[in-house]
């Protein structure tokens, strides 16, 4: 019999900026300074686009498990404080201000079940991915918390000239969070981006934003890729190699990486986030065909 367990996805309090189904910035702008994005007034105007700020931690969200873990029926739904289902992809704001972003944990570090937001299901719950009706697992544990940036989308109709003309993979942007604490499925962490890896998976561009939780003891020490090399030596290479090789045990070729096979800078990661947030905004406004994607 299916069971349901309700848990808090986030507990602490801060200010946040709620995107009104619109991107914050135009693509023809420079990468912005995120240090002054949140205001105490109800509504402000930035580059002629509106957003609202509330002085409570967002999201004020619970997670509800339905079914048993590691079964085909298992789902992790997100609920607002009234008990209504919301989407972790569409309804959780991306930007928190002060250079921080919301990050939704799909796969906790040191686990191998391939969990992901079900982008084609109503309210996009987290479920375990399947192939030919069987649950999918990585061949070995992933060593970092892994998940998505809400309100982002890699547009499969857009060919990125900077990354070998690869098209987006039709999913939210992935995050590899390098902090020491193991997250939980559906947990929402405040992170700051440090760099970006341009993985090319069977011809599709699948960005990996390297980030760290603001609650990590070493978060203040790292602000860009060079800091990662200094304070987390070998981590960027380990992340690249892990994602390059994880399909090899299943008889598939290794994945490739663009941008010189190296992690790009924090500024480049912010550029990726802005562009994919713009793409998501076009998607939810139905300026781009959604196909089988759920926009609820």
């Amino acid at each position: 019999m299916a069971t349901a367990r309700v848990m808090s996805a986030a507990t602490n309090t801060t200010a946040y900026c709620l995107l009104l189904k619109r991107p914050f910035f135009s693509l023809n702008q420079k990468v912005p300074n995120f240090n002054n994005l949140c205001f105490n007034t109800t509504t402000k105007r930035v580059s002629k686009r509106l957003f609202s700020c509330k002085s409570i931690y967002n999201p004020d969200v619970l997670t509800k498990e339905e079914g048993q873990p590691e079964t085909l029926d298992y789902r992790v739904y997100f609920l607002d404080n009234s008990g209504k289902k919301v989407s972790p992809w569409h309804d959780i704001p991306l930007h928190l201000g002060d250079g921080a972003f919301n990050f939704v944990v799909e796969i906790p570090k040191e686990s191998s079940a391939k969990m992901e937001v079900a982008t084609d299901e109503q309210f996009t719950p987290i479920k375990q991915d399947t192939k030919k009706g069987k649950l999918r697992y990585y061949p070995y544990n992933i060593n970092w918390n892994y998940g998505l940036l809400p309100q982002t989308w890699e547009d499969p109709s857009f060919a990125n000239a900077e990354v070998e003309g690869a098209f987006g993979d039709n999913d939210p942007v992935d995050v590899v969070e390098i902090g020491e604490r193991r997250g939980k499925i559906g947990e929402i962490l405040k992170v700051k981006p440090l760099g970006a890896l341009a993985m090319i998976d069977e011809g599709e561009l699948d960005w990996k934003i390297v980030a760290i939780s603001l609650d990590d003891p070493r978060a203040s020490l790292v602000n860009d890729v060079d800091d990662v090399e200094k304070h987390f030596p070998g981590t960027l290479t380990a992340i690249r190699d892990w994602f390059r090789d994880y399909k090899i045990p299943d008889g598939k070729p290794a994945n490739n990486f663009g941008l010189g096979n190296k992690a790009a800078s924090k500024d480049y990661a912010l550029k990726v986030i802005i562009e994919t947030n713009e793409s998501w905004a076009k998607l939810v406004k139905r300026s781009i065909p959604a196909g089988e994607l759920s926009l609820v």
Side-chain angles (χ1 to χ4, degrees), residues 10 20 23 39-40 43 48 51 59 79 106 143 146 150 154 166 168 181 186 207 221 253 257 266 293:
L20 300 178
F39 304 85
N40 292 326
T43 305
K48 298 182 180 180
F51 65 97
L79 312 175
E106 294 171 301
N143 306 125
Y146 186 56
E154 298 193 47
R181 189 179 71 83
W207 287 107
L221 301 176
F257 288 84
K266 174 181 180 176
L293 297 175

Side-chain angles (χ1 to χ4, degrees), residues 76 78 87-90 104-106 114-121 123-129 147-148 171-172:
V76 178
F78 289 68
S87 166
W89 181 17
H90 301 307
V104 181
V105 179
E106 294 171 301
K114 194 175 185 303
M115 310 300 295
E116 63 181 19
V117 162
T119 58
D120 59 348
E121 295 185 14
F123 301 112
T124 63
I126 295 175
K127 69 172 185 178
Q128 188 167 352
D129 191 24
L148 73 132
D171 282 324

Side-chain angles (χ1 to χ4, degrees), residues 181-235:
R181 189 179 71 83
R182 185 177 189 265
K184 300 176 182 179
I185 296 174
E187 186 174 5
I188 300 163
L189 301 180
K190 296 177 291 183
V191 301
K192 61 178 176 180
L194 305 169
L197 285 161
M199 190 176 91
I200 303 172
D201 182 356
E202 298 181 14
E204 294 181 337
L205 179 55
D206 187 0
W207 287 107
K208 309 298 179 190
I209 302 296
V210 180
I212 190 167
S213 169
L214 295 184
D215 294 328
D216 190 83
R218 289 187 284 178
S220 63
L221 301 176
V222 287
N223 293 291
D224 213 324
V225 286
D226 292 338
D227 298 327
V228 178
E229 285 296 338
K230 180 179 179 180
H231 297 284
F232 295 79
T235 295

Side-chain angles (χ1 to χ4, degrees), residues 6-79:
V6 178
M7 301 167 289
S8 174
T11 56
N12 41 349
T13 302
T14 188
Y16 77 93
C17 296
L18 174 60
L19 181 62
L20 300 178
K21 297 292 188 183
R22 301 181 187 181
F24 277 113
F25 305 100
S26 168
L27 289 183
N28 60 11
Q29 288 180 275
K30 293 174 63 178
V31 174
N33 183 340
F34 287 101
N35 292 331
N36 299 300
L37 282 182
C38 201
F39 304 85
N40 292 326
T41 51
T42 302
T43 305
K44 290 286 184 181
R45 185 175 294 271
V46 173
S47 187
K48 298 182 180 180
R49 297 178 186 271
L50 294 177
F51 65 97
S52 65
C53 290
K54 300 181 181 180
S55 297
I56 58 174
Y57 180 74
N58 187 75
D60 186 9
V61 168
L62 300 175
T63 57
K64 178 183 179 183
E65 295 180 288
E66 295 187 2
Q68 295 295 328
E70 299 188 62
T71 67
L72 294 173
D73 296 328
Y74 180 66
R75 298 289 186 276
V76 178
Y77 285 96
F78 289 68
L79 312 175

